[in-house]
Structures are given as structure tokens and as C-alpha cells.
Amino acid sequence: MTKAELRSRILASRARMTPSDLLAAADALFAQLLLLLHRVPHEALTAYRPIGSEPGGPSLPERLAVAFPTSTLLLPVLRPDLDLDWSVYSGSMTRTERGLYEPTGPRLGVDAVTTAQVIIVPALAVDRDGHRLGRGGGSYDRALTRARPGATIVALLHDGELVERVPHEPHDRRITATVVPGLR
């Protein structure tokens, strides 16, 4: 299966999820994410604000900020070259022309990701070897080249998105952990 075919399959599956399915999945996923994050020491972590049917739900940044009030929470800001800048989450976000939500605080630069011990990334699918399928822009692959050695890189998925094989290329960066809701 090609990347395009796998993307299409996952996006179609996500499109079939109802609002109540998404809410239940977000709550279950957050509970699993908390279990992981309480085991991984961190002073700084990155996350993102999910949109549409992305795993984690739109309140993910706020929930992380409440759960880890002494940790610095960095959120991405998409640059025109599709690389990621970073900003500290302060509770204030704005919607961009691309439909993304970004923090409104000062930009810290592309290298700010190096301060994070935990990097939470969006994904459409992940295989058991840690190969991640994103939306195809390469933003997170570029950002992950800057991750500190030993950082825990976590992909959030819906049930059924941990797959046998993700097509990958040399520039694709692997993740080290996946979190799924585990709904039955």
C-alpha cells in the first residue's frame, strides 16, 4: 500500500467517526497519554492543537497544561517554508488561514524543540518499527531532526491506526511511543 492509499484509508475512517466517538476517543486517549507522561520525566514538552477528527481533541493543549502546570508546553507555529517554529502555550490561540490553531505568544525559533524531553506529534498511522505517516508536508520530519537525543517522541492515534507497515523514506523520522484510546 502506498502512502497516498494509506492516508486515504485512514482519513476516510476518521471521517466516519461521530462527534460522540471523537469525544470518547479523546478522553480515553488522554487517560493513556497521562499514564505515559507520568513515567517520563520532563520539564518541557511539545504538543499540538488537534483539528477535525485528529486524535486528542481540540482541548489537548489545555488538558496538558492543567495536568502538568510546572512543565513548559510548546506548540508549533507553521512557517511559510512548512518548517515548525515554536511558542509557549499560555492559553491563547488563534486560527490561521490554513485552518490550524497556533499559540499567540512570542516565537522561539525552530530550535526550541531541542528543549523538550517529550515531543507529541500528530500522525495518521504508525507501524511497529516506529515509522510514522503524517499528512505529507514534512513539517514534523524536519522538526524531529532537531529533537534532543533520547527525547520521547509520541504519536497520538485512533484505534486501528497502529498498522503492520507504513511506507517510509530515508527522511522520515521515527517515533518512540504510540498512544491509542484502547476503546472496545
Side-chain angles (χ1 to χ4, degrees), residues 5 8-9 36 38 56-58 64 68-69 80 82 86 96 115 132 134-135 142-143 154 158 168:
E5 291 167 336
S8 179
R9 190 185 95 203
L36 172 70
H38 282 299
L64 287 169
F68 299 98
L82 300 182
W86 301 90
T96 69
T115 64
R132 171 189 158 273
R135 295 235 179 209
R142 281 190 284 287
V154 182
H158 287 299
H168 55 277

Side-chain angles (χ1 to χ4, degrees), residues 12-35:
S13 176
R14 287 183 178 183
R16 289 189 296 274
M17 295 178 77
T18 66
S20 61
D21 292 340
L22 291 169
L23 181 59
D27 287 344
L29 184 118
F30 191 72
Q32 295 300 320
L33 180 60
L34 284 179
L35 292 174

